[in-house]
Amino acid sequence: MVSKRRLPASEDRGSLTEDASKARKQPLSKKTKKSHVHNEVEENDSVFVKLLKTSGITLKTGESQNQLAVDQIVFQKKLFQTLRKHPSYPKIVEEFVSGLESYIEDQDSFRNCLLSCERLQDEEASMGTSYCKSLIKLLLGIDILQPAIIKILFEKLPEFLFKNVNSDGLNMPRLIINQLKWLDRVVDSKDLTTKIMQLISIAPVYLQHDFVTSLPEILGDSQHADVGKELSDLLTENTLLTVPILDVLSSLRLEPKLLTKVRKLVMGKLSSVMLDDLPVIIKFILHSITATDALEVISELRENLDLQHCILPSWLQASQSKLKNKGQTSSSGNQENSGQDCVILLFDVIKSAVRYEKIVSEAWIKAIENTTSVSEHKQILDLAMLFIIYSTNTQTKKYIERVLRNKIRSGCFEEQLLQSTFYVHYVVLKDICPTILSLAQSLLHSLDQSIILFGSLVYKYAFIFFDAYCQQEVIGALVTHICSGNEAEADTALDVLLELVVLNPSAMRLNAVFVKGILDYLDNMSPQQIRKLFYILSTLAFSKQHEASSHIQDDMHLVIRKQLSSTMFKYKLIGIIGAVTMAGIIAADRSRSSSLTPGRGDLSSEQCTQVTSLLQLVHSCSEQSPQASALYYDEFANLIQGRKLAPKVLEWAGQTIFNDFQDAFVVDICVVPEGDYPFPVKALYGLEDYDSCDGIAINLLPLLFSQDFVKDGGRLTSQESDQKLVSPLCLAPYFRLLRLCVDRQHNGNLEEIDGLLDCPIFLTDLEPGERLESMSVTERSFTCSLIFLTLNWFREVVNAFCRQTLPEMKVKVLTRLKHIVELQQLLEKHLAVTPDYVPPLANFDLETSEVTPHTSTAVSAKIRIQGNLGGRKRKADSSKISSPDPLSKEDNSECDPAPSDRSPLEKEFRGKEEKTSVSLQNYHAFFRELDLEVFSILHCGLVAKFILDTEMHTEATEVVQLQPPELLFLLEDLAQKLENMLTPSVTRRFPFLKSKGNRNIGFSHLHQRSASEIAHSVVQLLSPMCNHLENIHNYFQCLTAKNHGVVDGPGIKGQEYHIMSSCYQRLLQILHGLFAWNGFFQPEHTNLLYSALEVLTNRLKPGEPDQALEELLSQSFHYLQNFHLSVPSFQCALYLIRLLMVILEKSTAPTQNKGKIASLARQFLCRVWPSGEKEKSDIPNDQLEALLSIYLEHTDGVLKAIEEIAGVGVPELINSPKEVSSSTFPTLTRHTFVIFFRVMMAELEKTVKGLQAGTAADSERIHEEKLLYWNMAVRDFSILINLIKVFDSRPVLHVCLKYGRLFVEAFLKQCMPLLDFSFRKHREDVLSLLETFQLNTRLLHHLCGHSKIHQDTKLTRHVPLLKKTLELLVCRVKAMLILNNCREAFWLGNLKNRDLQGEEIISQNSQESAADESEDDASSQVSKSKGAEDSGEDEASDGAKEQESDESDDD
């Protein structure tokens, strides 16, 4: 019927068009007529008009509204009853409809019928609603008229589809469709649906959009499914209707299958849709998600949504310029704004979804967590979404933080990604700025350095990309971190401010007032933090001469002068550091600008005066305090070393410093000081023979005697107040300042001061001999101070001249290094008898109260030696003895040590064992810091020293080289530096665990450099370190060959052996510290890693450039592996293994070398190591545990390895005498058994826990393999658990209880599902497995009884959890039998409580009856004569009996 009606409608379109053209001409005459008759009533004798008038509606002509005299419902009721009761019903209905059709042929009449009626105002009407429906809508509310009127409307509608809007502004198609909305009842909804869908198919696009969006208001619920199908088909045909169709589908009640189909269709178009359509599409996708498919949908959406290509960078740049230059417009402004508006609208849709739909937010986070994609655009969206969800959903904040931390640790989220995220999505992210800063604050509280760095980058890019208000919030947050009192947070926040000052100084200058507020919190800041703060403030104040910066300058001057005038060193330190830093900025700013301005390469006289007056102020305020003076010299030296002073200032400083140093500390050697000194003064440690009186000397002892460091805490005591005060405390700092001035002025040439390298020092005989015990406390303290000051002088001398290239200078530097080692040996003797002595300070950028020796008690020399071997010693710990035996590059020279030369050392070493001594590592803070350049001495090979006669002719030539004690001294210091800089320390995050700044004392110069600079310097030293490593390797190889492989052969107990062993350990420790540096994972340090690996590779295959990274890693691994034969101690072996593992971690295919590490670890476990003192093992427990764990983690067959140790090594130990170890595993002794046992139990539990349970769908072969694997695991568990009958010490039992329960839990979760579907096919294997496991759980039950009898709280706290787990095993076995139709095979009994030896424990429940006797061994045996099902019954009962006993025991 509908199809028949469509043809006439199309045929009549031409006639309708003609009528419409005539109608266009009629309005003029009609308007004229209407002007005379404005409210003419339609007079017509048709049934239509009469019935309407009778029912209460008066039709009007022209533009007047039809009048409704009665209530709308009354009208509909009257008309319905009139039609229904009419004599000619139903014919009267057709006449009525025909009259309507004739009436609406006139457009004005039709329009009036579509517009609302006018309600005649009477008293009754005034009480009702003022709005009236249109005539058509009123008629549609009458059921007998509705189908015919709908038919008329759809026949009339095509007349208006392709016409423009009427002159009165009405859109007739929309007006007609509106009549169909919100009908109380639709008589034939299916017909209506068909008509409107046909109409949509032929309508123009702009009307299609309106018609589609009207569907939910027209159709009933019953038609939603049909309309949804037709709309989904239309969606594939017409992509222009995507937005309205999806909008409608979101409002319809549709089947999930249809929604899924549409969603997949739309998802495939995401990459090609217009940006304007994207918000509606995303809204549909997110609203159609269900709990079951949320993760899948979000993952697919994340894959297909690529906003980076939708948002044009030009828009971003334009909008950024708008933020900064408001008022400027561009021709493409509207387009840019619309694009940004669409993006904002899109994210608003997403925000709404994740805020109100929990499944959406959780699924999105889960999709990000599960992804392994490295596509940048997806990760940019991921990071932006984490920020957005974090801001909208408070319940998921902890979850998001965990995901974000994991992504940062795994390297998925890096700086480049964060920068891109802010660049692409800054418009959206700036609205959630407070939330982003809150997240950054949370990241800064982490312990992981990479997470802290990421948090600081969030602050950085928020400042760079956001507007001024957000920038202010960022600065406020950073200032809060700095003033929080947390050292690590403050360091990170200051680093961010430092970077922002460089990147965006103008914006930082606007926020300088907030940074200036930190000056009120200087008390709790470390010296390094104070340096950074004053650098930031000085840069803001002096970089440009703005009036706005003058208040910062004034405040800084006030703070500095106030602190300098303080009498407390703590505050004077702040003033000194601040003033020197400010002076450096004033000079540095001018020197930088001079490079761009030819002819103006120096400071102006005004600026130069400002700098010099500031430095003179510091000098005058600090000259009364030696500590303050020394701090000023060190800070000034750091400033010069950083090349931050202009030449004019440098020249002024150089002249002043040179003259003052010479006057204060240097005297003629021929003028021996005279005075009432406690010891005779002698000129010692001179490197030249002075025949005349033209030589110089350092006047140390007389200066020290005039001071009283102990009583006055470093203050000078002078008898004459007008005399210039000089303190020996300033000797080393002043010399450092002097040599850096000379170095900068003469480009590294120190010829002007080279006399200080070989000049002697006025001291006394420091070797005490027998009179040491008879010396007074004051004399001992004086001697110790003298040695400390001499040592620090030599350290600074070595710092100064270590880079000199002349052979004579190199020889002198090596000699000074030897003097340092000798003096440290003497110092240990004196400190051993002066326990409460506090040395003079050597590092001054700290509070005096911070630095005291770690311990004042003397320790045994035996402990001292053990510490040397254990790898816990630091600088100069074992460098006490100088050995003349050369560490030559030639292999043969190391095989033949000179016993005659070594005998005095041996004698001294043996004598020391009976005395007390101290470790100089406790006095580390009282030694001057060695510069990194000192380690260039490691490059020294053989150095020729020419001895000249009186006529300057060569009389003899002496070959000098680096000796083992001096090598050990350098290596220990370098290892300490690497540990401090390249190894992140967790304890640094908790200042309350240690005294403030303790870890960084003595590393202030080192901290002036970045970690990457340190790593680069160490890479430069790799080649000489490899030389030393190979030489020491050869030494031990020769020693082993000489002793014919005997571990405790001649020479093993000697001092030289221990020094060489310590050198070996330190070299491996340094290599491990370098390659374990996490900075190598950053892209900018890839080349450095290549360089380091090439050094190692070239030791094997020199001259092969441009090798791939994998090849370099493989060759380096092979090179380092070759050293395993010569490692002299267990500690060295562990460092070598760890070094190889670090190399392995950087490889993408580590499987092959993983087996090599396991093999190597096993060799070390099976090697006999040299015994320590009193024949006890020299292997620290933690190191043995670490190596055993490495072996079991890297071996291919963990279960076989455990079975070998427990089944072979332990029985050998049991059958051997008390002090003898296992022959297969010599490291396994009765003392170390608990370590082996703990590691094996832990690794066994870890292994089975990681085994997948499997499913019934797996192949038969997989079932058999897993069943075999579990048989091996249970057998290993059985072997281990039965060892407690022999080794029943408390630690072993504790391990057994802890890991026994974990193993049973893993058995329940991983093995029982396997037994469920393996029972029928492998009945015998399953029964055998359960029988073995039942015996083990019975022993665990006995262990529980043992723990209760002995009332050991450490053991009994594990008992309840273990028993609960054993009870669960009973239920699980029963469930497995029921699943396999063997329920009748399960029965319960009671076990007797027994101890570890099997003896019954007498308790109140022991009288219980018959079931106790069922524990007989006979009941646990599987009768071969019974059927398989009976066997299952017996076995199940066994497992269950044991558990029932557990229950009874708990009562």
Side-chain angles (χ1 to χ4, degrees), residues 1384-1402:
E1384 66 280 359
F1386 189 84
W1387 60 278
L1388 295 176
N1390 288 331
L1391 281 175
K1392 291 182 179 179
N1393 293 319
R1394 300 180 184 273
D1395 58 17
L1396 295 181
Q1397 283 69 38
E1399 299 294 331
E1400 184 177 351
I1401 298 173
I1402 304 300

Side-chain angles (χ1 to χ4, degrees), residues 919-1173:
S919 171
L920 288 186
Q921 66 176 347
N922 297 329
Y923 295 85
H924 167 71
F926 300 96
F927 292 115
R928 293 290 291 178
E929 182 180 356
L930 291 180
D931 293 341
L932 273 180
E933 290 75 17
V934 169
F935 301 105
S936 61
I937 297 175
L938 294 173
H939 287 276
C940 286
L942 300 176
V943 181
K945 177 182 178 183
F946 299 101
I947 302 175
L948 306 179
D949 56 19
T950 54
E951 298 181 0
M952 303 302 291
H953 295 139
T954 302
E955 183 176 297
T957 302
E958 180 183 349
V959 176
V960 181
Q961 68 180 53
L962 193 63
Q963 300 296 318
E966 290 82 48
L967 174 64
L968 180 59
F969 167 75
L970 292 175
L971 293 177
E972 285 184 333
D973 193 84
L974 180 58
Q976 203 171 357
K977 283 180 165 57
L978 288 190
E979 181 185 357
N980 186 274
M981 284 297 292
L982 300 188
T983 306
S985 174
V986 175
T987 56
R988 295 182 68 185
R989 308 292 302 150
F990 301 99
F992 55 83
L993 294 178
K994 58 181 181 59
S995 59
K996 182 182 175 184
N998 218 12
R999 186 177 187 267
N1000 296 328
I1001 294 177
F1003 295 104
S1004 57
H1005 301 161
L1006 188 71
H1007 287 179
Q1008 306 291 326
R1009 310 185 185 210
S1010 65
S1012 58
E1013 289 179 285
I1014 306 297
H1016 189 272
S1017 300
V1018 178
V1019 169
Q1020 302 302 315
L1021 298 172
L1022 274 183
S1023 183
M1025 284 195 291
C1026 287
N1027 287 335
H1028 291 297
L1029 192 62
E1030 292 166 12
N1031 291 338
I1032 298 173
H1033 167 78
N1034 293 334
Y1035 168 84
F1036 285 110
Q1037 289 282 78
C1038 293
L1039 192 61
T1040 303
K1042 183 178 179 181
N1043 293 334
H1044 304 290
V1046 179
V1047 177
D1048 289 332
I1052 298 299
K1053 299 290 185 182
Q1055 174 74 349
E1056 183 186 36
Y1057 178 90
H1058 289 295
I1059 290 179
M1060 298 292 274
S1061 177
S1062 297
C1063 288
Y1064 206 147
Q1065 179 181 331
R1066 294 303 180 192
L1067 283 166
L1068 293 173
Q1069 182 182 350
I1070 291 167
L1071 291 175
H1072 174 262
L1074 173 65
F1075 286 103
W1077 179 48
N1078 54 17
F1080 279 133
F1081 291 102
Q1082 300 170 7
E1084 59 267 26
H1085 298 138
T1086 304
N1087 291 335
L1088 187 62
L1089 177 61
Y1090 269 88
S1091 302
L1093 294 173
E1094 282 177 350
V1095 173
L1096 300 184
T1097 303
N1098 288 336
R1099 310 297 297 190
L1100 281 180
K1101 298 180 179 179
E1104 290 190 18
D1106 302 329
Q1107 297 185 66
L1109 178 62
E1110 285 299 320
E1111 180 64 23
L1112 290 174
L1113 288 168
S1114 176
Q1115 294 294 333
S1116 300
F1117 186 94
H1118 182 55
Y1119 168 72
L1120 294 170
Q1121 186 186 9
N1122 291 337
F1123 290 99
H1124 76 278
L1125 294 173
S1126 64
V1127 285
S1129 66
F1130 191 86
Q1131 292 83 352
C1132 291
L1134 183 59
Y1135 268 117
L1136 179 60
I1137 287 283
R1138 285 175 172 168
L1139 174 58
L1140 292 172
M1141 289 172 61
V1142 166
I1143 297 291
L1144 193 63
E1145 286 173 3
K1146 295 174 172 52
S1147 174
T1148 56
T1151 310
Q1152 181 181 2
N1153 289 329
K1154 188 177 178 181
K1156 294 181 181 178
I1157 286 183
S1159 173
L1160 207 55
R1162 189 185 186 283
Q1163 290 182 40
F1164 291 147
L1165 290 171
C1166 297
R1167 181 182 296 186
V1168 179
W1169 298 101
S1171 58
E1173 297 179 7

Side-chain angles (χ1 to χ4, degrees), residues 603-617:
L603 294 176
S604 65
S605 57
E606 180 183 353
Q607 290 172 321
C608 186
T609 303
Q610 191 177 6
V611 173
T612 54
S613 60
L614 190 60
L615 293 176
Q616 286 172 344
L617 172 67

